[in-house]
Amino acid sequence: MKSKNPLQPVSLSKSVAAAVTLSCSPLDATSLILQAPLSVFEGDSVVLRCRAKAEVTPNTIYKDDNVLAFLNKSSDFQIHHASLKDNGEYHCTGHKERCCPVSSNKVEIQVQELFSRPVLRASSSQPISGSPVTLTCETQLSLERSDAQLQFRFFRDSQTLGSRWSRSPNFQIAAMLSKDSGLYWCKAATLTHSIISDSLGSWIQVQIPMSHPVLTVSPKEALNFEGTKVTLHCKTQGYPPDTLYQFYHEHILLKRKSARFAQEASISFLLTEEHSGNYYCTANSRRGPQRSKAVRLSVTVPVSRPVLTFSSVEDLNFEGAKATLHCEAQRGSLPILYQFYHEDVILESRSARYVGGVAINFILTAEHSGNYYCTADNGRGPQRSEAVKLFVTVPVSHPVLTLSSAEALTFEGATVTLHCEVQKGSPRILYQFYREDVPLGSSSTPSVGGVSFSFSLTAGHSGNYYCTADNGFGPQRSEAVSLFVTGKCWVPANRPPRLSSLSPIPLEICLYHPVSSPSELLCQLTSWGSQSSFCPGSARPPR
């Protein structure tokens, strides 16, 4: 765009020009300025702004010295969708108060193409019937608008190809037939269709083949495992000796081979996972290439060694918890048969048709402890995981506290043994002994059978005893056992006590106390219930 500053007035008509000429005085070029964008592209919205000083009133805008529009209330003129027809030289005029007409600078606008005219290109202008063709609509965006987005559409003669506009400049025809011969062309457009440009036509003639080669695969196995050597054979009949054979995988050329004498050619390779897909071959003589029917080859990837993982919701393997075994092979073609084992005994079999492996759930019991593994097989033989050892912890039951004494008496100086044992629970178990809620001692055992705690009795050992057992799930407490310790038993040598035949009382401790005279003996019988009576003929204890 170019800017000019002429100082002469521009007339609207002959009569006006004469008037202007009569009242004209030297023009101030800075009194009226026409502003426009630095660059304009097709489809742009362009605003031409006639800027005037306070004493100047803009009234007309010109293109190539022809009146384009009269400016009324606004000093702006808008071109909504710029095109090449808007190229030209623009200026505006106005009237200076109490003086004369004034003219602005001149601005030259050159509308630039957003993109070049498209060109249609075909992957083949003479494709063989049945072969694919790719149409490409080529165009070039302006460097200043390289981020603009375009869409494309393709045509054969007057018929539209495809159902809609596409962002891709390519259009794939999977198989050209004889009826597909014709004049092909394309359109390129902006997303709003404000700019649309057509390409020139390109004629495509589909070649009619005389016969078709036959493609076979050997060995013919139900499962073509990765690493297996396979051979593709392309056979023809009636072709000349100098026929050129070409092998394709998913429309990608693998190899060319010339057969000078035999009417076939072959290629061999070791299978990998990437070799799965459709294969075909072509035979090209002087009469043009002929294509075989496609043969699909599915490569089976043997399973890798599976990985067995164990998890539980509570993250603790205790009896009653819900556990999950998950078996997965990181590599291998589906479907895959998974099997779970516990100590070489099969638990369950499951077939997976999707990636991610399989899982089984169960509620843990003590019998679930042991070694687990899984296998994966997709036809090449099972692969075994490493073993996972599972130890199920059984929470302890309520312990039982028992008391025993070698002398069968609980008097001062006697040795008493407390024994605490649970009937159920996984080792290691921590046992603790208490007297009146005060810890006496603790012991941990890695095996069943409980633990014992022994001590010599003193008068201070009387009270309630209990024990607890814990193997990680919280302590379980036994029933309390009461222990009453008596003083030392003292009996005069010349008069042993006589006991009355009272109602049966569990005799546990007999304690004789010295009294005021040797003839008076106090005989006290005690039991767990602290019952007492006195020997006949003896003195009653003072109340």
Side-chain angles (χ1 to χ4, degrees):
M1 182 169 54
K2 302 176 183 178
S3 177
K4 302 176 183 179
N5 281 306
L7 298 180
Q8 70 276 12
V10 178
S11 59
L12 297 177
S13 64
K14 291 182 179 181
S15 59
V16 174
V20 169
T21 302
L22 291 175
S23 61
C24 182
S25 63
L27 300 179
D28 183 1
T30 62
S31 298
L32 198 60
I33 298 175
L34 180 63
Q35 296 177 333
L38 293 176
S39 61
V40 178
F41 286 89
E42 288 180 299
D44 285 356
S45 177
V46 180
V47 176
L48 301 178
R49 182 165 291 127
C50 194
R51 301 291 298 272
K53 288 187 175 181
E55 69 274 10
V56 176
T57 302
N59 51 33
T60 310
I61 189 164
Y62 293 81
K63 176 190 174 187
D64 296 329
D65 294 331
N66 295 315
V67 175
L68 183 61
F70 293 101
L71 303 175
N72 296 321
K73 296 181 180 180
S74 173
S75 61
D76 293 350
F77 175 77
Q78 186 172 9
I79 302 173
H80 293 284
H81 296 288
S83 63
L84 298 180
K85 66 180 177 59
D86 295 313
N87 288 341
E89 192 174 62
Y90 294 78
H91 74 276
C92 64
T93 61
H95 190 273
K96 191 171 185 179
E97 187 177 352
R98 299 176 183 176
C99 179
C100 53
V102 291
S103 179
S104 74
N105 57 303
K106 289 190 176 182
V107 175
E108 185 176 346
I109 292 180
Q110 291 291 332
V111 179
Q112 303 177 60
E113 287 186 333
L114 181 62
F115 55 90
S116 61
R117 184 175 185 177
V119 175
L120 179 74
R121 301 193 186 280
S123 58
S124 174
S125 61
Q126 293 183 336
I128 302 301
S129 179
S131 64
V133 166
T134 300
L135 303 177
T136 303
C137 195
E138 294 183 353
T139 186
Q140 184 68 44
L141 282 166
S142 172
L143 292 178
E144 295 182 49
R145 299 293 178 89
S146 58
D147 59 341
Q149 294 185 344
L150 302 178
Q151 51 186 351
F152 305 89
R153 205 158 195 183
F154 295 84
F155 303 85
R156 182 182 68 244
D157 299 324
S158 59
Q159 179 183 355
T160 302
L161 303 179
S163 58
R164 60 178 63 90
W165 288 84
S166 171
R167 297 280 187 90
S168 173
N170 298 319
F171 184 81
Q172 179 79 34
I173 302 175
M176 295 288 287
L177 303 176
S178 58
K179 65 180 180 64
D180 294 326
S181 296
L183 187 66
Y184 288 78
W185 54 287
C186 67
K187 287 187 176 188
T190 56
L191 297 184
T192 60
H193 290 188
S194 59
I195 304 174
I196 301 178
S197 182
D198 298 349
S199 73
L200 296 175
S202 179
W203 183 267
I204 296 179
Q205 182 64 51
V206 180
Q207 303 297 313
I208 306 299
M210 295 180 63
S211 62
H212 297 281
V214 177
L215 179 69
T216 58
V217 180
S218 64
K220 294 182 179 179
E221 295 182 355
L223 294 174
N224 295 305
F225 283 99
E226 193 175 40
T228 303
K229 182 179 179 180
V230 298
T231 302
L232 301 180
H233 303 272
C234 190
K235 298 181 180 180
T236 58
Q237 289 183 352
Y239 275 65
D242 57 348
T243 299
L244 175 65
Y245 294 87
Q246 297 184 110
F247 295 85
Y248 292 86
H249 174 215
E250 299 293 351
H251 308 306
I252 298 175
L253 179 64
L254 297 178
K255 198 169 185 179
R256 293 186 177 93
K257 293 193 77 173
S258 294
R260 294 187 177 277
F261 303 104
Q263 293 195 4
E264 70 172 85
S266 60
I267 61 172
S268 300
F269 49 89
L270 296 177
L271 289 178
T272 65
E273 186 176 5
E274 291 73 21
H275 284 122
S276 292
N278 294 314
Y279 290 80
Y280 65 89
C281 68
T282 62
N284 192 357
S285 65
R286 299 186 185 95
R287 300 177 182 178
Q290 307 296 320
R291 173 177 163 168
S292 72
K293 291 184 178 180
V295 173
R296 181 159 188 84
L297 184 61
S298 297
V299 180
T300 302
V301 179
V303 293
S304 58
R305 189 175 187 183
V307 176
L308 179 68
T309 55
F310 171 83
S311 63
S312 66
V313 177
E314 298 82 357
D315 291 329
L316 293 173
N317 303 330
F318 60 87
E319 194 174 41
K322 183 179 179 180
T324 300
L325 289 176
H326 182 265
C327 187
E328 181 178 0
Q330 299 298 318
R331 193 166 180 267
S333 299
L334 298 170
I336 300 175
L337 176 65
Y338 290 94
Q339 292 185 306
F340 295 85
Y341 292 85
H342 175 217
E343 300 294 351
D344 297 325
V345 177
I346 189 168
L347 296 177
E348 193 169 339
S349 299
R350 288 195 178 183
S351 180
R353 297 188 176 274
Y354 305 96
V355 296
V358 297
I360 61 171
N361 302 309
F362 51 91
I363 303 301
L364 290 177
T365 65
E367 291 74 20
H368 284 124
S369 293
N371 292 314
Y372 290 80
Y373 65 89
C374 67
T375 61
D377 187 7
N378 65 349
R380 196 69 178 263
Q383 294 292 319
R384 174 173 167 167
S385 72
E386 291 187 2
V388 173
K389 189 172 184 63
L390 176 62
F391 179 74
V392 180
T393 302
V394 180
V396 295
S397 59
H398 285 281
V400 176
L401 178 67
T402 56
L403 181 147
S404 63
S405 171
E407 297 85 352
L409 296 173
T410 54
F411 55 82
E412 280 189 296
T415 298
V416 170
T417 298
L418 300 177
H419 184 77
C420 188
E421 184 175 355
V422 296
Q423 300 302 312
K424 184 182 179 184
S426 301
R428 158 175 309 260
I429 301 175
L430 175 65
Y431 291 92
Q432 289 186 303
F433 295 88
Y434 295 84
R435 174 186 169 276
E436 301 295 348
D437 297 325
V438 177
L440 298 177
S442 62
S443 179
S444 178
T445 174
S447 58
V448 297
V451 297
S452 298
F453 180 74
S454 300
F455 54 93
S456 296
L457 292 176
T458 65
H461 283 131
S462 294
N464 293 317
Y465 290 78
Y466 67 89
C467 67
T468 63
D470 188 6
N471 65 347
F473 300 96
Q476 296 292 322
R477 175 173 169 168
S478 71
E479 297 279 346
V481 174
S482 297
L483 175 64
F484 181 77
V485 182
T486 67
K488 293 182 179 180
C489 193
W490 179 81
V491 182
N494 60 349
R495 189 178 179 183
R498 292 180 299 105
L499 301 179
S500 64
S501 57
L502 302 175
S503 59
I505 298 175
L507 182 61
E508 188 67 24
I509 301 170
C510 182
L511 177 61
Y512 297 96
H513 297 277
V515 292
S516 58
S517 66
S519 62
E520 292 179 331
L521 291 176
L522 174 63
C523 183
Q524 184 182 25
L525 303 179
T526 66
S527 71
W528 295 117
S530 299
Q531 301 180 53
S532 63
S533 63
F534 299 93
C535 298
S538 63
R540 290 281 182 178
R543 296 184 180 273

